[in-house]
Amino acid sequence: MYPTNFRDVRATPRVTQIRRAALAAGLLVPALVLAACSSSSSSAGSGTTPSGGASASSSAGATGATGAGVDLAKKAVTQMEQPPTWQGPADTVNVASAKGKTADLINLTEEIPALHEWAAVAQAQLEKLGVKANICDAKGTPEGITSCLTQDIAARPNVIVAMALDTSFIHGYIQQATAAGIKVITAQTGTPGVPQGTGAVAEVTFNYPEVGQMLGTWFAASSGCQGYPQIITSTSSRQPSAAEVTGIQAAVKQYCPSASALSVQNVLIPDWATNLPTVTRSLLNSNSAIDYMLPLYDGMTIYMVPAIEQLHLSHQVQVGSFNATPVVMQNELAKTSPLSADVGGPNDWYGYALTDEILRVLAGAPVVADEHVPLRLFTRDNLGSINLSANESTWYGTVNFACQYDKLWGQACP
Amino acid sequence: MTGGPDSGVNATQETLATAASPGPAVAGPAARRLDPVRLVERYGLVLLWAVIVVIFSLVAPNSFPTVSNFSTIFGTQAVLLVLALGLLVSLSVGEFDLSVAATMGFATVLVALLSAQDHWPLLAALAATIAAGLIVGGVNALLVVRGGISSFVVTLGSGTLLTGLGYGMSNSQTIGGVPGGLVSAASKQFLDLPLAFYYGLALCLVLWYLFNYVPLGRHLIFAGEGREVARLSGLRVQRIRAGALITCSVIATLAGILQAGVVGAADPSGGPTFLLPAFASAFLGATAIRPGRFNAWGTFVAVYFLVTGITGLQLLGYTGWVQDVWYGASLVVAVAVARFAAVRRRASAGT
């Protein structure tokens, strides 16, 4: 039994024309917005792309093989699959000059394992050498970044390391720090080399253009320049992503000269879980020529691979990506899966490289333009040479990078 | 009793609840007359869905009106459908569960952790995960109903807590190796659609039946629309509210389990991103089929209306920011239309 006011209330004939019009307008607004979006699609891209979507798809793709280019690409891939050798710095550092000084590391977020590990390794090495090292977790938010920067500038350390922070966002803070006599090192902004125009004195990063170059080369070799690649970027990580995309495009142009511009789509990190499955399927539905997908980070593949499999395209579409994240390597590359190539870099090695640059700046020594943290391409051809269950730092060959750095720092090599 | 001291949050909640609450329960003779305005109200979203399907079919004739694309539209967002359906249970009693997406994410991590890393038997892992969902819902209900604290505040806190726990338990890493049994149960295809879609459809049927043909369903609605009147009518409003919050959490947990099966892995950052789409779907759904009331089929239509729009835009080359714009705009329009419908109905009732 229900109360009497719990009843149907129907529209009466007194509903005015104005109300009808308002209701209709309310329902049609989304349709109009949609129509407006649709009409602009021919002139707009995805925001980050040289060309985007269906209109771009018709002119993109890497067709027109050149045998010589493909052969070169295959040779390059064989080389990329080999374990890296030591190409790090040769000049030693007077660690005694760095002792007692302070380095503050501002980490974009401690929640990303690689970022956490880089900072943790650097902190442990610095403290072992008598340098005070603090980590500030910016929690991946603009507020966190500004809070860490403000706090650290006020604390007057000798060095601030901005880890994975967008230099255009923190430019003003770098100037403030420099004015206060604090040296700033940027990290993981994409391209190795002494930073120009940012105010920072050094940069330590994986070589993202080279990552892209490796993926583009793998595509050329694997497809014989006959495939159709689709890049999926994530501009939430703006600088490294842009560098990686540039690298892919450069390699495809180098090995497949007659290829036209590659199509790029953008899916922001917060949208990976909700958006990547539909983006993947929509791309494959809209362009059946796509047979290679190049998501910039392999965390994206956990959402893309099921979508490819649901379309029964596991054997037609190959995926290449970056990070060589253990769980992705173990569950996708090591099994029957569209993921066929994953470029990786050793996290512990990077932590040592970062430590080395910090020590050089603290000691007043010339900085190293490129620490040459290695990269390796993993495919099913060389997967058997590594132990996927072992720590990922063992996947990069037998170079004892810790020993190499200890020698540079005047320490006994264990 | 609305729970806790009145605040801006409560006021907002009441405004939205008002916008979504008044609705028909028993059709009178006059209602059976064909009223075009009422038809548009009830089926406007369905009509709009058809309109955008036509528009996209015209704009992208080679890629949009294809079996494969409709399989994409219906096959990729089953988890969102289940989550939005869970949310409508709590919204029906006037409670906002902002922890629903975090609960889902937490459940994804937990079931993957127990089954893949700790090698629990799958059934035991599923039982433990559902039990965790019961506990989350129980704690939410205790604080909201017994503690008299706004559900907005409680679930905001518990959602943040669960997100942090998910990161902690997984060491911020993706957990792979979800057992094949769970993957098959979610991803195996029937008529070109994954089984996950049919689970969402089945849940939709269950909730539709509950809200329309079972006294408990009517009690839920009544408790949401007029808490004090419901109490005076003899309904155990507190129990109903608590039950709705617990049910919402358990369904969110099921959505999390489904997500682990669909993806085959657990990403600790994946859950919270479903919050806006779930709310947008539930509110947009309240403007359809039973306008002004959260309802199962309205939610179904809303989820796939939103996905159709996003998929169509993706086919035209729009990704990235488009999804947020589409969901956000739909949420605003949905609440505005629901509010308009409520005002119109009240005005009609007063004349």
Side-chain angles (χ1 to χ4, degrees):
Chain A
M1 181 177 163
Y2 298 94
T4 52
N5 67 339
F6 199 61
R7 63 190 171 85
D8 200 358
V9 180
R10 300 286 171 175
T12 70
R14 295 187 184 185
V15 174
T16 64
Q17 292 299 318
I18 293 172
R19 283 175 178 167
R20 286 171 194 263
L23 179 63
L27 291 168
L28 286 173
V29 162
L32 292 174
V33 170
L34 179 71
C37 286
S38 303
S39 65
S40 64
S41 67
S42 59
S43 59
S46 63
T48 58
T49 67
S51 55
S55 58
S57 299
S58 60
S59 63
T63 55
T66 55
V70 173
D71 288 344
L72 283 173
K74 284 180 178 169
K75 279 181 191 158
V77 162
T78 305
Q79 191 62 35
M80 290 166 187
E81 288 175 336
Q82 301 307 310
T85 53
W86 172 259
Q87 293 180 23
D91 296 339
T92 57
V93 190
N94 180 9
V95 171
S97 307
K99 250 183 197 164
K101 293 184 177 173
T102 305
D104 283 359
L105 288 79
I106 300 173
N107 207 350
L108 175 63
T109 170
E110 286 277 296
E111 286 183 351
I112 295 177
L115 281 170
H116 168 77
E117 194 170 344
W118 298 336
V121 169
Q123 185 183 41
Q125 292 307 311
L126 288 168
E127 292 195 336
K128 199 173 83 180
L129 297 167
V131 175
K132 191 164 188 286
N134 307 304
I135 297 173
C136 185
D137 180 1
K139 299 187 185 304
T141 65
E143 302 79 39
I145 294 169
T146 53
S147 166
C148 281
L149 282 162
T150 307
Q151 177 187 313
D152 283 357
I153 290 170
R156 294 284 193 276
N158 301 93
V159 165
I160 287 177
V161 183
M163 295 187 61
L165 307 184
D166 191 320
T167 50
S168 58
F169 181 73
I170 64 168
H171 185 67
Y173 289 97
I174 295 177
Q175 288 181 323
Q176 274 183 43
T178 306
I182 304 166
K183 299 273 184 10
V184 176
I185 298 173
T186 53
Q188 294 293 356
T189 61
T191 309
V194 178
Q196 302 297 316
T198 64
V201 297
E203 163 70 39
V204 187
T205 181
F206 282 127
N207 190 332
Y208 284 84
E210 191 182 331
V211 170
Q213 186 85 21
M214 292 168 84
L215 285 173
T217 307
W218 166 76
F219 158 74
S222 172
S223 70
C225 287
Q226 294 292 337
Y228 193 109
Q230 170 69 54
I231 299 170
I232 305 198
T233 185
S234 195
T235 52
S236 306
S237 179
R238 191 179 63 86
Q239 291 170 316
S241 297
E244 195 175 333
V245 169
T246 304
I248 295 172
Q249 290 169 328
V252 173
K253 197 174 175 64
Q254 178 186 351
Y255 294 111
C256 312
S258 56
S260 46
L262 305 189
S263 177
V264 186
Q265 293 284 351
N266 179 31
V267 181
L268 303 174
I269 291 174
D271 296 334
W272 284 6
T274 54
N275 213 1
L276 270 174
T278 48
V279 167
T280 304
R281 291 185 60 146
S282 295
L283 286 167
L284 294 170
N285 283 334
S286 63
N287 187 351
S288 58
I290 295 173
D291 52 3
Y292 283 82
M293 300 198 98
L294 305 174
L296 296 197
Y297 308 104
D298 67 8
M300 303 165 94
T301 64
I302 66 164
Y303 299 107
M304 294 174 63
V305 164
I308 295 168
E309 288 172 344
Q310 281 174 12
L311 286 174
H312 309 293
L313 292 174
S314 303
H315 299 294
Q316 284 97 315
V317 177
Q318 295 194 60
V319 177
S321 194
F322 168 60
N323 277 150
T325 304
V327 68
V328 175
M329 295 279 282
Q330 289 156 2
N331 291 291
E332 291 180 11
L333 194 62
K335 295 181 179 167
T336 306
S337 149
L339 183 69
S340 304
D342 205 349
V343 175
N347 290 321
D348 286 359
W349 192 326
Y350 177 82
Y352 273 79
L354 186 61
T355 307
D356 183 70
E357 198 73 281
I358 294 168
L359 287 171
R360 287 171 197 277
V361 172
L362 287 174
V367 297
V368 175
D370 187 352
E371 289 274 347
H372 288 290
V373 183
L375 298 165
R376 186 178 185 189
L377 174 69
F378 296 103
T379 65
R380 292 196 176 87
D381 291 336
N382 67 350
L383 206 58
S385 68
I386 63 170
N387 179 2
L388 281 172
S389 308
N391 186 296
E392 57 93 28
S393 63
T394 66
W395 300 351
Y396 298 86
T398 54
V399 173
N400 190 341
F401 60 86
C403 189
Q404 295 283 355
Y405 277 112
D406 277 339
K407 281 184 198 163
L408 292 177
W409 304 336
Q411 307 296 305
C413 179
Chain B
M1 180 174 170
T2 54
D6 199 12
S7 65
V9 170
N10 279 344
T12 306
Q13 181 172 332
E14 283 171 12
T15 302
L16 290 166
T18 304
S21 62
V26 181
R32 295 192 185 94
R33 286 200 300 268
L34 198 63
D35 178 349
V37 173
R38 182 149 187 82
L39 277 177
V40 170
E41 270 187 358
R42 287 177 74 106
Y43 301 108
L45 188 63
V46 180
L47 187 69
L48 195 59
W49 189 15
V51 167
I52 66 166
V53 167
V54 170
I55 291 173
F56 281 126
S57 297
L58 293 173
V59 176
N62 296 323
S63 52
F64 191 86
T66 62
V67 172
S68 183
N69 185 49
F70 287 114
S71 162
T72 296
I73 290 169
F74 288 102
T76 56
Q77 299 296 337
V79 173
L80 174 59
L81 175 62
V82 172
L83 194 65
L85 288 170
L87 191 57
L88 82 84
V89 177
S90 73
L91 289 172
S92 293
V93 298
E95 302 293 357
F96 277 70
D97 189 346
L98 295 180
S99 69
V100 69
T103 304
M104 186 205 108
F106 176 78
T108 308
V109 169
L110 185 60
V111 74
L113 198 71
L114 294 177
S115 62
Q117 277 197 2
D118 295 345
H119 305 293
W120 284 32
L122 181 56
L123 286 178
L126 293 175
T129 306
I130 292 169
L134 272 168
I135 292 169
V136 170
V139 171
N140 282 346
L142 187 71
L143 291 170
V144 172
V145 178
R146 275 288 174 86
I149 308 169
S150 161
S151 59
F152 216 96
V153 176
V154 169
T155 57
L156 184 64
S158 62
T160 309
L161 174 79
L162 289 169
T163 302
L165 280 177
Y167 277 116
M169 286 178 353
S170 64
N171 197 21
S172 303
Q173 301 208 38
T174 300
I175 302 167
V178 169
L182 182 55
V183 174
S184 295
S187 304
K188 198 169 179 183
Q189 300 219 354
F190 175 67
L191 296 179
D192 241 8
L193 291 170
L195 289 179
F197 167 77
Y198 298 101
Y199 300 145
L201 191 64
L203 182 61
C204 205
L205 278 166
V206 168
L207 290 180
W208 164 77
Y209 188 79
L210 172 75
F211 280 112
N212 288 280
Y213 298 105
V214 177
L216 175 62
R218 297 306 188 103
H219 294 171
L220 285 164
I221 295 168
F222 186 41
E225 293 182 349
R227 203 165 282 171
E228 195 56 25
V229 179
R231 191 183 65 78
L232 292 172
S233 303
L235 295 185
R236 292 174 171 179
V237 174
Q238 304 292 66
R239 282 192 183 186
I240 290 170
R241 291 169 62 207
L245 284 165
I246 292 170
T247 305
C248 179
S249 290
V250 170
I251 295 177
T253 303
L254 295 175
I257 292 169
L258 205 57
Q259 174 75 344
V262 167
V263 175
D267 173 4
S269 66
T273 60
F274 281 83
L275 188 62
L276 178 62
F279 267 93
S281 303
F283 273 95
L284 192 58
T287 66
I289 313 298
R290 303 293 295 270
R293 176 174 300 162
F294 296 104
N295 67 90
W297 289 116
T299 304
F300 180 90
V301 170
V303 165
Y304 290 108
F305 165 80
L306 290 169
V307 176
T308 303
I310 286 166
T311 308
L313 290 167
Q314 284 169 357
L315 288 174
L316 295 176
Y318 290 93
T319 54
W321 55 272
V322 169
Q323 175 163 328
D324 292 332
V325 170
W326 183 254
Y327 278 131
S330 299
L331 181 57
V332 171
V333 170
V335 174
V337 170
R339 179 72 181 165
F340 173 78
V343 169
R344 194 182 72 80
R345 221 174 268 116
R346 273 202 295 274
S348 302
T351 56

